[in-house]
Amino acid sequence: MKTVTRSRKRNTKGVYILPNLFTSCSLFCGCYAIIAATQARYDAAAVAILISSLLDGLDGKIARFTHTTSQFGIEYDSLSDLVAFGVAPGLLLFEWSLKPLGRFGWLAVFLYVTCGALRLARFNIQKNSLESHHFKGLPIPGAAIFVATAVLCINSLGHDVEHQPILFISAMYVLSFLMVSTIDYVSFKGMDLFRRKPFNVLVATILVFVVVAYKPALMLFLFSSLYIFSGPAQSCYRLVRKQAKKRRLLIRSSPNPSEKGLEGKS
């Protein structure tokens, strides 16, 4: 019995290498994006953020698939996300567009990073009580992907961003608000790629890859924008349906005027 308890204590002191290795690679890409942004290599920084988001999605799936999920991995992943999807895109957008605004620019970056940290902290304490197919508030990787794809898209089109800092600082405030909001966003954690799917799913996936390959920067920016606006759009749709349902219930519960007249005559 003593040997069994000792072996269990040893196992609890260790960490799982494979999922945490993917998290470390994601953190490495975030650090590289920060350095590239300070060197005015904005496209390289944006690509590093996108690669980091891909690795961030893989580490959780690998941990669940190999049954190597741990509290250490969860906390380490959150710290990595704050660097790769909070500090890195904030600094990238500041160096790329917001620097002419001075104090207003870096205060917007500070707000973005703070809201990202609050979003991660709230997710960690609410993850057991939330639905697996929905997020409360915009996930911080989604906000970072929007920033990265916006940089790639506008640079590929050759537009000058130096005279449009107000547009991008407004985007930073909107992203910050969406991250700390309670708006529902679709979660892709329920997608199981290791199970059989209908044939149409494979055809649709190939079609998406073809569309993205035609204009990668533009298409990725459009897809990320659709995801950003999908949360508020769904909330507005649910609110309209709820109001319409209340009106139908009021109409059904209210007495008919003709019935009132009959009751008065009787």
Side-chain angles (χ1 to χ4, degrees), residues 3-21:
T3 57
V4 174
T5 54
R6 286 178 183 176
S7 61
R8 287 181 179 177
K9 288 181 179 180
R10 288 176 184 175
N11 292 332
T12 55
K13 290 181 180 178
V15 295
Y16 296 110
I17 299 299
L18 187 59
N20 291 314
L21 185 61

Side-chain angles (χ1 to χ4, degrees), residues 224-239:
S224 63
S225 300
L226 286 175
Y227 184 72
I228 295 295
F229 291 108
S230 66
Q234 286 183 356
S235 297
C236 292
Y237 176 70
R238 290 172 183 170
L239 182 62

Side-chain angles (χ1 to χ4, degrees), residues 103-115:
R103 181 179 299 178
F104 293 105
W106 65 257
L107 284 176
V109 172
F110 169 73
L111 178 65
Y112 172 85
V113 176
T114 303
C115 290

Side-chain angles (χ1 to χ4, degrees), residues 182-209:
T182 56
I183 297 175
D184 288 335
Y185 277 88
V186 177
S187 169
F188 299 103
K189 290 185 177 182
M191 294 179 61
D192 193 350
L193 301 178
F194 299 100
R195 291 186 178 180
R196 289 180 179 270
K197 300 290 183 181
F199 180 75
N200 294 335
V201 175
L202 177 61
V203 176
T205 304
I206 295 174
L207 181 61
V208 170
F209 276 112

Side-chain angles (χ1 to χ4, degrees), residues 161-173:
V161 299
E162 293 182 358
H163 303 293
Q164 300 175 346
I166 301 299
L167 177 64
F168 297 104
I169 196 173
S170 301
M172 290 291 279
Y173 281 111

Side-chain angles (χ1 to χ4, degrees), residues 2-260:
K2 291 183 179 180
T3 57
V4 174
T5 54
R6 286 178 183 176
S7 61
R8 287 181 179 177
K9 288 181 179 180
R10 288 176 184 175
N11 292 332
T12 55
K13 290 181 180 178
V15 295
Y16 296 110
I17 299 299
L18 187 59
N20 291 314
L21 185 61
F22 274 82
T23 304
S24 300
C25 292
S26 175
L27 181 59
F28 171 80
C29 292
C31 293
Y32 178 81
I34 293 173
I35 295 172
T38 58
Q39 296 175 349
R41 295 187 291 122
Y42 305 125
D43 287 349
V47 170
I49 292 173
L50 294 179
I51 296 174
S52 179
S53 65
L54 179 63
L55 295 171
D56 179 68
L58 288 175
D59 64 357
K61 289 187 177 297
I62 290 173
R64 288 187 293 271
F65 183 72
T66 57
H67 304 288
T68 54
T69 305
S70 64
Q71 188 63 33
F72 174 84
I74 294 172
E75 300 299 331
Y76 184 36
D77 181 69
S78 296
L79 294 174
S80 173
D81 288 353
L82 183 59
V83 175
F85 308 131
V87 179
L91 182 61
L92 170 61
L93 198 59
F94 178 79
E95 293 288 337
W96 181 64
S97 175
L98 303 183
K99 187 178 285 188
L101 295 177
R103 181 179 299 178
F104 293 105
W106 65 257
L107 284 176
V109 172
F110 169 73
L111 178 65
Y112 172 85
V113 176
T114 303
C115 290
L118 293 173
R119 170 68 177 77
L120 290 169
R122 185 180 65 181
F123 175 77
N124 286 342
I125 63 175
Q126 293 181 349
K127 61 185 177 181
N128 294 327
S129 60
L130 296 177
E131 298 179 3
S132 60
H133 56 278
H134 277 96
F135 289 122
K136 284 292 182 184
L138 175 66
I140 188 172
I145 290 172
F146 177 81
V147 173
T149 53
V151 172
L152 291 174
C153 179
I154 294 176
N155 285 348
S156 66
L157 296 176
H159 289 180
D160 188 11
V161 299
E162 293 182 358
H163 303 293
Q164 300 175 346
I166 301 299
L167 177 64
F168 297 104
I169 196 173
S170 301
M172 290 291 279
Y173 281 111
V174 171
L175 293 174
S176 302
F177 167 75
L178 290 175
M179 282 192 291
V180 296
S181 68
T182 56
I183 297 175
D184 288 335
Y185 277 88
V186 177
S187 169
F188 299 103
K189 290 185 177 182
M191 294 179 61
D192 193 350
L193 301 178
F194 299 100
R195 291 186 178 180
R196 289 180 179 270
K197 300 290 183 181
F199 180 75
N200 294 335
V201 175
L202 177 61
V203 176
T205 304
I206 295 174
L207 181 61
V208 170
F209 276 112
V210 171
V211 171
V212 172
Y214 175 67
K215 291 278 188 180
L218 178 61
M219 291 298 120
L220 289 175
F221 175 66
L222 289 178
F223 283 138
S224 63
S225 300
L226 286 175
Y227 184 72
I228 295 295
F229 291 108
S230 66
Q234 286 183 356
S235 297
C236 292
Y237 176 70
R238 290 172 183 170
L239 182 62
V240 170
R241 285 190 60 184
K242 189 175 180 181
Q243 294 295 331
K245 188 176 180 180
K246 285 183 178 180
R247 290 176 183 174
R248 287 196 297 268
L249 292 175
L250 288 174
I251 292 174
R252 291 177 183 176
S253 61
S254 60
N256 195 347
S258 60
E259 294 179 356
K260 281 185 177 181

